[in-house]
Amino acid sequence: MDAVLLTRAGELLKDIPKWRLPQAAWSRPAAAVEALAAAYDAQDGPAVKVAVARLEVLSPNRVDRIADPADVPPPEPLQERVTVLVHLIADPDESTAGEADGTDRR
């Protein structure tokens, strides 16, 4: 897979824990992270590219938003998923099959 694309994916994933969104808005980034995990696990470069683009569009950092006190950090399951993906993408030789899709069999 394209190293530049994977670097961008890693950068976006590392930013997600800093994002603050309304509680109801977290489902879309969570779905994009799941799509990225599935695409990465399948080694599907075009699908990884689509998932990265989707995360870029969803990033609250793209637009200067007025902070709402009701905005919350990512839900814990999403934060855990992001952490796994960051490490998987940063060091793919340390991974095992199924880790990106949450079915790690170690």
Side-chain angles (χ1 to χ4, degrees):
M1 246 183 287
D2 180 25
V4 173
L5 177 61
L6 293 178
T7 298
R8 183 63 188 136
E11 290 168 352
L12 278 166
L13 290 167
K14 288 176 187 174
D15 282 346
I16 290 175
K18 301 173 200 164
W19 293 7
R20 298 296 177 266
L21 298 172
Q23 183 70 38
W26 278 109
S27 62
R28 291 174 63 198
V33 168
E34 289 303 321
L36 176 58
Y40 183 81
D41 202 40
Q43 293 295 294
D44 184 345
V48 168
K49 187 174 184 176
V50 168
V52 167
R54 196 164 153 210
L55 279 174
E56 286 175 330
V57 168
L58 293 171
S59 171
N61 300 331
R62 283 188 66 226
V63 192
D64 287 334
R65 292 183 346 122
I66 296 174
D68 184 337
D71 288 353
V72 296
E76 188 63 31
L78 178 57
Q79 288 189 39
E80 291 172 8
R81 179 64 131 168
V82 165
T83 299
V84 168
L85 277 173
V86 165
H87 292 291
L88 186 65
I89 289 171
D91 194 1
D93 294 333
E94 293 293 316
S95 68
T96 60
E99 189 170 349
D101 69 6
T103 60
D104 187 6
R105 294 168 193 84
R106 284 190 266 177

